[in-house]
Amino acid sequence: MAASAKIPNSDIVFHRDGAGDIAVVFMHGWIDDLHVWNPVIAELSGSGFETVQFDLAGFGNRTQANGPFTFDRFAADLLAVVDAVDKPFVLVGHSMAAPIVELAAEARSERALGLVLLAPIPMAGARLPDEIIESFHSLAGADASVIQAVRQQAGPSAPEAELARIAAVAAKVRPEVVLATADLWNNGHPVQRPGGFSKRVLILSGSDDPIVTSEVVASQVVTRFEAERTTTTEIEKCSHWPHIEQPSLVAAQISRFLAGSLATEAVRADARH
């Protein structure tokens, strides 16, 4: 059953649905909101897990949140949610959220069962040329129509109604937050931490993604994890937002991953008893 809960002494409200022994926590990317995952969640198959969603600070219903807007701060918010849920979990992160979920999984490795990284920005950052990152900076304070046109160009197969919805959401983000977080995912984590998560990882990328290309995934993302526990899959006919452009294909991949995670947790539970 769907429900909402608030982290005490914070502005974090998380939404949870379903029931099971593990939680699957979905983290949205840059200038999106928690609802961007709804099409994928609606098509997940299997049972034994609940889904959890919440807005990153500065986005969605948290546009008035104060900084700092850093990977460590975002990871701390995510940790507050998984601690409140208090069960083994799988973290799913899109784009800018990939470093966030990786940091959180490392911090709670005893309960983290796996990671799903969708079109993941590397921990070291996208490192786009100045003229390209300036095009993202230009969205600070932009009207929804402008944002929608940019997203339509970058993800031509995405449903128009969802593009309009997320553009309206993005237009409400404070300009200073847009600028700070664009620089965040472009520059990467300042410490450039080596990979420390050693459990199962699924990396999903869009076949036509101009930002997170197959070369970026192979050289900067896959290498952070253990090869024998990492699976990389390319989603055809989509760009940087596979969960919007091809939600059924993304849901099928995540469902298979969750089946393995549930099996892993069952083995762990038997060992504890």
Side-chain angles (χ1 to χ4, degrees):
M1 180 178 292
S4 296
K6 189 176 186 299
I7 301 296
N9 303 312
S10 82
D11 66 337
I12 303 171
V13 176
F14 61 94
H15 299 256
R16 57 198 306 183
D17 198 5
D21 293 331
I22 73 171
V24 187
V25 187
F26 290 83
M27 298 300 303
H28 66 82
W30 188 62
I31 65 175
D32 290 341
D33 71 349
L34 64 89
H35 298 294
V36 77
W37 286 108
N38 290 356
V40 167
I41 291 173
E43 298 203 42
L44 291 177
S45 61
S47 59
F49 59 87
E50 69 165 318
T51 61
V52 179
Q53 301 157 268
F54 72 100
D55 290 321
L56 286 170
F59 304 108
N61 286 326
R62 299 179 67 197
T63 56
Q64 299 307 307
N66 295 320
F69 300 103
T70 65
F71 284 132
D72 289 331
R73 184 273 175 86
F74 290 139
D77 283 359
L78 174 54
L79 289 172
V81 171
V82 298
D83 287 348
V85 172
D86 194 26
K87 61 178 66 173
F89 58 82
V90 171
L91 301 180
V92 184
H94 169 242
S95 190
M96 183 184 83
I100 300 169
V101 298
E102 182 183 341
L103 291 170
E106 290 177 5
R108 296 291 185 275
S109 59
E110 72 283 358
R111 285 193 285 127
L113 300 177
L115 290 176
V116 179
L117 309 179
L118 183 65
I121 293 293
M123 185 72 75
R127 303 291 172 173
L128 300 177
D130 289 346
E131 62 272 19
I132 302 299
I133 196 63
E134 281 306 314
S135 68
F136 291 97
H137 285 166
S138 71
L139 298 182
D143 292 337
S145 59
V146 173
I147 298 172
Q148 183 175 350
V150 171
R151 295 292 290 262
Q152 183 76 61
Q153 185 177 20
S157 62
E160 186 173 352
E162 178 60 8
L163 285 176
R165 189 196 71 78
I166 60 177
V169 167
K172 297 177 182 178
V173 179
R174 304 197 315 270
E176 62 268 28
V177 177
V178 173
L179 295 172
T181 51
D183 288 340
L184 175 66
W185 60 255
N186 194 48
N187 296 334
H189 196 289
V191 181
Q192 300 299 313
R193 302 182 183 185
F197 186 71
S198 60
K199 297 178 185 176
R200 299 171 66 242
V201 179
L202 172 63
I203 302 171
L204 303 175
S205 59
S207 60
D208 305 320
D209 192 336
I211 301 173
V212 183
T213 63
S214 57
E215 291 78 12
V216 168
V217 170
S219 64
Q220 299 185 52
V221 182
V222 172
T223 53
R224 295 186 60 77
F225 306 105
E226 294 187 4
E228 65 275 12
R229 296 189 177 187
T230 303
T231 302
T232 303
T233 299
E234 194 170 79
I235 307 296
E236 294 295 329
K237 298 180 181 179
C238 62
S239 182
H240 191 62
W241 298 277
H243 51 323
I244 299 173
E245 300 171 81
Q246 297 286 355
S248 296
L249 296 180
V250 171
Q253 291 288 336
I254 294 176
S255 294
R256 282 193 285 271
F257 187 80
L258 292 179
S261 298
L262 285 164
T264 298
E265 177 55 20
V267 170
R268 287 174 53 176
D270 288 343
R272 288 194 295 267
H273 297 297

